[in-house]
């Protein structure tokens, strides 16, 4: 029972990190209708920068540097590359991000190889006893901190001018442009925000109990794609729900690996995709997605 | 530009009796038709020349290049399937590697024998190859409830899951797949003739080993796959695919059954991937799970993008480029700047190749979203009677 | 085959609670040309999309002769011999005009993947290509058959869609603003083409149009919609005199016609989207 509870908390923690990744992905999609296939490699780049520099400049400065690098990269992607493509040609933009993903992954593979770099976060390696539960400090911080972050983001979207502009340009890009909303600024902000969220989530993913920063972080982060589809792809609430579902299911399944042996070793890594396919068979537009989006 | 008067007169003729205008129509039609053959002639000549060169190549070129050719042809068949699915029908699949794996392991299992902890059915290689292709098609059919209801890029993300699920199966279905170590592949044989080094064939003084024999087998399969793809793309299904890509509602209004058409494009492309998988098995002579990862799916996508979406020749050229690039870079690592051979310190050839083709995908999307084919078309249209 | 009768009985269409069509009824007699007019947002395009099975009908029914088409899928409706054009041109911009027209033969041809792959679809294709060339000739597109559709002038694109709808060999032809964005000469010519096609091929025609000149000259009957309801119906001369129509619609000069009907039309390949001006 206690073990199940521990698993659940761990699952929620992982799910919240997925929610952050998925949120960035979905925000970019909503604001620009671009599917960013490079999202997972943005994340890996961010934590790589943190891990590679923390020994020299300390973790806090390294984390800021990682956030800055990915934020700038996202901005550059939007400003220097995507803005040169016809705004309606979302296919071309998505494919461009695939090319970008290949280049980024190649560079990170070159730099990381088989290495595992320590992240050097102050909470790394520490566990906390909460009553009967023993939890990594990372998990406690995630479970407490990420909801605050998501709350702040919601406030940003509902209360600020930028949020209003973004929601308006999602609803009706042409109309928003006529009303004086600068679509470019909205989409640039969305991209930067997505990069920052991904890096933040990456720091969580690479912290204890994970051994550190390695190439496998990227394949973990890719699970944000099925999370986005489960949630509905164009719904922010769905992104959070999808992330949580994937996180909890992964941890629960991996935790019961022995009794699920008939499904094969490492089923925890692929269960997200199974859930995704089941959800798609049941609801092609995901749990919270709009119908129009996948309607035939 | 006296066009409106032309159509007006035909209108009045037509309203009188529709059939009497036939001779006049034939004349004008012939007038406009003469423009097409000069366009097609060079393409046909180029295709014939390519096949002739390919037929003669084993007599002149050593096994290193022929082996690249085998991998390129295997990839080309897979790329043809993907260009039908994504280029024509507009349905992205990042699960292509999965169906290639079904072809590879399907063949290995069906043609392979029992041994150690592995099982196999020991079927004749040709039967195994055909059944492996059908098996890939069947897997595509099983996924079609998803593939027929999703659109475009969205399907791309959903199909990504197949690669991870497939990899999981490859590692865990050990009696069939051999698990992490994979399994070896029975060489192809047809009517007692083995496509292996033991064939003992000598042509014009050149001893034909496995590579040379397989070359002709692969060439025949690639040519057949190309012709089939061309027929499909130029015929009724291809036209329905393209209108569906540009507007699902428009296609439905023409009587196209959208869901069914999406499913059929997906199944066809899975079968192409299955053939590619069988060829890959024969070329590698071994099936290993780590080959069939997401990167392989992205490789296929890069092939058809660089070659030009929806184009059969583009798929072949793109496949050759993406396959050959890392091998050639690695071979000439000593003379090339920056690049080093495997195991040395520096820029690994396979990573260098990824830099090159990843960057090329970005450049193609920025400059000419239709790929090389659109570039050629743009030049041709400028040269031709543009405002005709 | 004789032209069909179209009966629209109390048809309603609602989008998330908003009533785009409210119990619309009218009958289109066989072989007639029937115009649907009304101010922007009156529900004209929604009506056409409901007829074709693209928008779900929430109430009432639609009959094409004895066939009920109320909740049929669009491809089933097309299979019954309903050809249509779209308000914001829907073609494959990168394909040739001939290819675009040949798609119109889809429902009349049979060659599937296997037959096409094995060279067995060619005779059928040649036979139908001959007929398509005939129709292109009729629509004045013969000289453009090898041109990429995306390179056509606007008026030619409109005629391409019209010709493609004819390639379906329809019995009921539905046109959504067939002359929008054309100049006067082009509009008049297309109006003549519609009548010629009706006479030569035995069609029933339903169309939506803002150009009153064309409407009055080719329509046998007119239904006037406003806020999703029928406000008047009759022969052109009657409708022109009807005071409700004059106040609701005709009295208002209709210069700014960029039409945005109910929900954003789900109908486009974006490359095909063009603004006439």
């Amino acid at each position: 029972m206690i073990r199940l509870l521990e698993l659940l908390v761990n699952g929620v923690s992982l799910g919240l990190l997925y929610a952050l990744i998925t949120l960035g992905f979905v925000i970019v999609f909503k604001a620009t209708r671009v599917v960013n296939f490079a999202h997972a490699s943005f994340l890996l780049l961010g934590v790589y920068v943190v891990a590679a520099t923390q020994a020299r400049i300390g973790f806090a400065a390294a984390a800021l540097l990682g956030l800055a690098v990915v934020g700038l990269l996202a901005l550059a992607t939007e400003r220097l590359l995507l803005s040169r493509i016809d705004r309606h040609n979302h296919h071309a933009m998505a494919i461009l991000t695939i090319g970008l993903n290949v280049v980024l992954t190649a560079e990170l593979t070159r730099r990381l190889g088989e290495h595992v770099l320590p992240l050097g976060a102050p909470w790394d390696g520490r566990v906390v006893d909460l009553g009967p539960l023993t939890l990594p400090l990372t998990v406690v911080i995630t479970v407490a901190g990420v909801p605050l972050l998501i709350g702040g983001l919601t406030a940003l979207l509902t209360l600020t001018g930028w949020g209003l502009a973004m929601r308006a340009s999602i609803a009706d890009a042409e109309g928003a442009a006529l009303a004086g909303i600068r679509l470019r600024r909205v989409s640039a902000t969305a991209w930067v925000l997505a990069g920052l969220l991904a890096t933040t989530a990456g720091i969580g993913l690479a912290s204890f109990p994970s051994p550190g920063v390695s190439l496998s972080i990227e394949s973990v982060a890719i699970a944000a794609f099925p999370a986005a589809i489960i949630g509905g792809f164009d719904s922010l609430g769905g992104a959070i729900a999808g992330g949580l579902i994937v996180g909890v299911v992964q941890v629960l399944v991996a935790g019961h690996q022995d009794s699920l042996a008939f499904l094969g070793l490492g089923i925890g890594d692929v269960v997200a995709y199974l859930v995704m396919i089941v959800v798609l068979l049941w609801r092609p537009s995901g749990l919270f997605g709009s119908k129009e989006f996948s309607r035939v | 530009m006296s066009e409106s008067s032309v159509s007006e007169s035909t209108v009045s003729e037509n309203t009188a009796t529709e059939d009497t205008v036939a001779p006049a129509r034939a004349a004008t039609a012939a007038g406009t038709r003469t423009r097409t053959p000069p366009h097609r002639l060079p393409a046909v000549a180029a295709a014939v020349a390519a096949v002739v060169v390919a037929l003669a190549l084993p007599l002149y070129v050593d096994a290193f290049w022929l082996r690249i050719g085998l991998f390129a042809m295997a990839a080309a068949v897979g790329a043809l399937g993907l260009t039908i699915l994504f280029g024509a029908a507009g349905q992205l699949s990042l699960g292509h590697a999965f169906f290639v794996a079904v072809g590879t392991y399907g063949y290995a299992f069906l043609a392979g024998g029992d041994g150690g902890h592995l099982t196999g059915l020991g079927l004749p290689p040709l039967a195994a190859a055909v059944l492996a292709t059908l098996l890939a098609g069947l897997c595509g059919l099983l996924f079609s409830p998803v593939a027929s209801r999703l659109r475009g890029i969205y399907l791309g993300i959903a199909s990504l899951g197949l690669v991870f699920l497939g990899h999981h199966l490859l590692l865990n279905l050990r009696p069939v797949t051999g698990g992490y170590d994979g399994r070896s592949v029975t060489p192809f044989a047809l009517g007692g003739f083995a496509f292996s080094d033991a064939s003992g064939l000598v042509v014009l003084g050149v001893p034909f080993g496995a590579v040379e024999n397989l070359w002709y087998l692969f060439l025949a399969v690639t040519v057949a796959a190309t012709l089939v793809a061309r027929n499909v793309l130029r015929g009724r299904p291809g036209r329905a695919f393209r209108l569906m890509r540009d507007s699902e509602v428009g296609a439905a209004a023409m009587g196209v059954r959208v869901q069914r058409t999406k499913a059929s494009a997906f199944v066809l492309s899975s079968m192409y991937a299955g053939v590619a998988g069988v060829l890959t098995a024969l070329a590698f002579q071994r099936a290993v799970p780590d080959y069939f990862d997401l990167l392989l799916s992205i490789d296929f996508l890069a092939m058809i993008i660089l070659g030009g979406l929806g184009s059969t020749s583009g798929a072949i050229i793109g496949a050759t480029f993406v396959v050959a690039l890392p091998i050639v870079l690695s071979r000439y690592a000593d003379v090339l700047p920056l690049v080093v051979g495997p195991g040395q310190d520096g820029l690994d050839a396979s990573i260098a190749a990824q830099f090159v083709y990843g960057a090329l995908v970005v450049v193609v999307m920025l400059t000419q979203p239709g790929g090389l084919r659109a570039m050629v078309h743009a030049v041709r249209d400028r040269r031709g009677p543009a405002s005709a | 085959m004789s032209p069909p009768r179209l009966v629209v009985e109390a048809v309603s269409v609602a989008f998330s609670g908003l009533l785009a069509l409210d119990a619309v009824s009218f009958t289109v007699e066989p072989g007639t040309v029937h115009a649907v007019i009304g101010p922007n947002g009156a529900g004209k395009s929604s009506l056409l999309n409901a007829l074709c099975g693209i928008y779900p009908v929430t109430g009432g029914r639609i009959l094409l002769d004895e066939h009920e088409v109320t909740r049929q899928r669009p491809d089933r409706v097309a299979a019954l011999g309903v050809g249509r054009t779209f308000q914001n041109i829907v073609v494959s911009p990168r394909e040739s005009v001939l290819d675009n027209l040949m798609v119109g033969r889809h429902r009349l041809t049979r060659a599937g993947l296997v037959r096409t792959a094995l060279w067995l679809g060619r005779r059928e294709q040649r036979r139908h290509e001959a007929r398509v060339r005939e129709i292109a000739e009729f629509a004045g597109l013969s000289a453009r058959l090898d041109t990429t559709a995306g390179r056509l002038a606007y008026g030619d694109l409109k005629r391409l869609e019209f010709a493609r709808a004819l390639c379906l060999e329809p019995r009921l032809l539905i046109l959504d603003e067939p002359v929008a964005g054309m100049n006067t000469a082009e509009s008049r010519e297309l109006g003549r083409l519609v009548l010629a096609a009706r006479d030569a091929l035995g069609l029933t025609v339903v169309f939506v149009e803002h150009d009153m000149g064309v409407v009055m000259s080719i329509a046998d009957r007119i239904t006037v919609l406003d806020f999703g309801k029928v406000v008047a119906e009759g022969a052109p001369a009657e409708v022109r005199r009807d005071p409700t129509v004059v106040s609701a619609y005709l009295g208002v000069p209709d210069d700014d016609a960029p039409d945005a009907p109910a929900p954003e039309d789900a109908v486009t390949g974006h490359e095909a989207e063009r603004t006439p001006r």
Side-chain angles (χ1 to χ4, degrees), chain A residues 65-107:
Chain A
L65 186 65
L67 287 167
V69 166
V70 176
L72 281 175
L73 178 71
L75 185 66
T77 305
E78 201 280 332
R79 277 291 148 103
L80 302 180
L81 299 177
L82 297 176
S83 65
R84 287 167 200 270
I85 296 179
D86 168 29
R87 198 162 54 78
H88 294 290
N89 198 346
H90 308 124
H91 264 57
M93 295 194 211
I95 292 168
L96 188 147
T97 65
I98 293 180
L100 189 65
N101 180 57
V102 170
V103 174
L104 269 177
T105 307
E107 175 61 14

Side-chain angles (χ1 to χ4, degrees), chain B residues 288-299:
Chain B
V288 283
D290 283 354
Y291 179 71
F292 304 96
D293 58 3
L294 188 57
L295 198 62
L296 181 66
S297 282
I298 295 178
D299 278 351

Side-chain angles (χ1 to χ4, degrees), chain A residues 25 35 37 80-82 84-85 89-107 109-110 219 222 225-226 229 232-233 263-271 273-274 276-277 280-286 292-296, chain B residues 86 90-92 94 142-143 145-146 148-154 156-162 164-165 167-168 171-172 174 245 248-249 258-259 262 294-295 298 301 305 309 346-348 351-363 365-366 369:
Chain A
F25 182 74
V35 173
F37 283 100
L80 302 180
L81 299 177
L82 297 176
R84 287 167 200 270
I85 296 179
N89 198 346
H90 308 124
H91 264 57
M93 295 194 211
I95 292 168
L96 188 147
T97 65
I98 293 180
L100 189 65
N101 180 57
V102 170
V103 174
L104 269 177
T105 307
E107 175 61 14
T109 309
R110 189 173 78 84
S219 29
I222 285 178
F225 288 132
I229 286 193
F233 215 72
L263 289 173
L265 212 62
I267 183 71
D269 298 337
V270 297
V271 71
Y273 300 97
L274 281 177
M276 174 190 77
I277 288 174
L280 281 176
L281 289 173
W282 172 42
R283 291 175 72 110
S285 45
E292 156 269 326
F293 169 65
S294 63
R295 200 176 77 102
V296 171
Chain B
F86 184 48
Q91 294 286 88
L92 179 60
L94 287 175
L142 289 176
F143 193 65
V146 172
S148 67
R149 287 196 275 179
L150 305 185
R151 176 154 54 186
I153 298 283
Y154 189 52
I157 300 179
S159 57
L160 192 135
L162 288 175
F164 294 94
L165 291 172
H167 197 252
H168 180 73
L171 290 179
N172 283 285
R174 255 178 238 124
R245 170 195 69 195
E248 285 187 6
V249 174
V258 171
Q259 290 208 3
K262 281 182 181 173
L294 188 57
L295 198 62
I298 295 178
L301 190 63
I305 286 164
L309 289 173
L347 184 56
D348 182 70
I351 288 183
Q354 281 177 41
F355 278 130
V356 171
Y357 88 69
L360 273 177
V361 167
V362 172
V363 169
M365 284 303 112
L366 286 178

Side-chain angles (χ1 to χ4, degrees), chain B residues 3 7-8 10-11 14-15 33 36 231 236-237 239 242-243 245-247 249 252-254 256-257 386 388, chain C residues 54 75 78 90 92 95 99 102 106 109 111 116-117 119 125 133 137-138 144 151 159 189 192-193 196 269:
Chain B
E3 116 187 88
S7 43
E8 242 171 58
T10 52
V11 170
N14 264 297
T15 44
R33 284 309 284 174
T36 327
N231 282 351
R236 177 174 178 267
R239 284 189 293 264
R242 287 187 295 264
L243 182 57
R245 170 195 69 195
D246 294 328
S247 165
V249 174
M254 295 303 124
V256 176
R257 297 169 67 175
Chain C
I54 293 168
D75 56 89
V90 174
S92 291
E95 311 306 322
D99 254 17
M102 284 294 285
H106 190 87
T109 42
T116 316
W119 285 268
Q125 176 155 342
R133 285 175 185 281
E137 175 82 23
F138 169 74
R144 300 275 188 284
R151 296 164 58 85
R159 279 190 296 180
E189 184 198 316
R192 270 200 301 271
L193 278 177

Side-chain angles (χ1 to χ4, degrees), chain C:
Chain C
M1 219 188 291
S2 62
R5 176 195 317 271
L6 175 72
V7 179
V8 177
E9 265 180 26
V11 164
S12 298
V13 170
F15 296 103
S16 45
L18 267 151
L19 215 51
L21 290 179
D22 185 1
V24 168
S25 299
F26 61 92
T27 299
V28 183
E29 294 301 332
T32 60
V33 174
H34 195 109
V36 178
I37 64 171
N40 292 329
K44 306 182 297 291
S45 281
S46 300
L47 173 65
L48 297 195
N49 285 335
L51 292 184
C52 297
I54 293 168
Y55 286 173
V57 173
T58 38
R61 57 184 201 151
I62 302 165
L63 293 168
L64 188 66
D65 283 341
E66 73 281 7
H67 303 285
E68 171 139 14
V69 295
T70 319
R71 278 174 196 86
Q72 297 277 25
R73 274 199 332 244
D75 56 89
R76 295 252 172 83
V77 177
L80 288 171
V82 177
R84 70 163 294 174
T85 68
F86 293 89
Q87 185 186 330
N88 28 19
I89 299 162
V90 174
V91 298
S92 291
R94 277 170 281 171
E95 311 306 322
S96 71
V97 168
L98 181 62
D99 254 17
N100 270 290
L101 290 176
M102 284 294 285
V103 185
R105 305 305 281 185
H106 190 87
R107 78 168 183 107
L108 302 161
T109 42
R110 286 289 154 265
L113 279 179
V114 176
R115 273 170 67 188
T116 316
L118 301 175
W119 285 268
L120 296 175
R122 293 189 146 190
R123 225 183 45 206
E124 179 185 76
Q125 176 155 342
R126 263 199 301 276
R127 201 151 36 83
H128 284 268
E129 201 178 302
R131 174 62 176 159
V132 162
R133 285 175 185 281
E134 226 165 73
I135 290 167
E137 175 82 23
F138 169 74
L141 286 167
S142 285
R144 300 275 188 284
L145 283 173
D146 294 326
T147 312
T148 310
R151 296 164 58 85
L152 288 181
Y154 183 77
D156 282 346
L157 273 174
K158 283 294 219 188
R159 279 190 296 180
L160 167 58
E161 268 216 313
F162 171 70
R164 186 181 60 188
L166 290 184
C167 286
L168 241 89
E169 306 293 348
R171 301 166 63 226
L172 174 67
L173 181 63
I174 296 179
L175 307 170
D176 197 348
E177 304 200 11
V179 305
M182 285 183 162
N183 64 35
T184 321
E186 286 175 325
S187 304
R188 209 175 300 153
E189 184 198 316
L190 199 90
R192 270 200 301 271
L193 278 177
V194 171
L195 291 181
R198 188 260 314 256
D199 295 340
L201 304 170
L203 307 175
T204 302
V205 181
V206 177
F207 75 110
V208 162
E209 187 49 68
H210 279 287
D211 183 327
M212 279 308 122
V214 170
V215 170
M216 293 300 166
S217 64
I218 71 170
D220 298 307
R221 278 187 88 75
I222 300 175
T223 294
V224 187
L225 287 185
D226 197 12
F227 293 112
K229 287 186 177 160
V230 176
V231 293
E233 202 201 305
E238 298 163 25
V239 166
R240 208 191 309 237
R241 286 193 304 267
D242 192 315
T244 42
V245 176
V246 175
S247 67
Y249 184 35
L250 294 178
V252 188
D254 186 43
D255 291 331
D256 48 346
D259 203 354
E264 234 176 72
D265 234 350
V267 164
T268 46
H270 29 80
E271 280 121 319
E273 243 177 47
R274 264 150 217 273
T275 332
R277 276 152 290 266

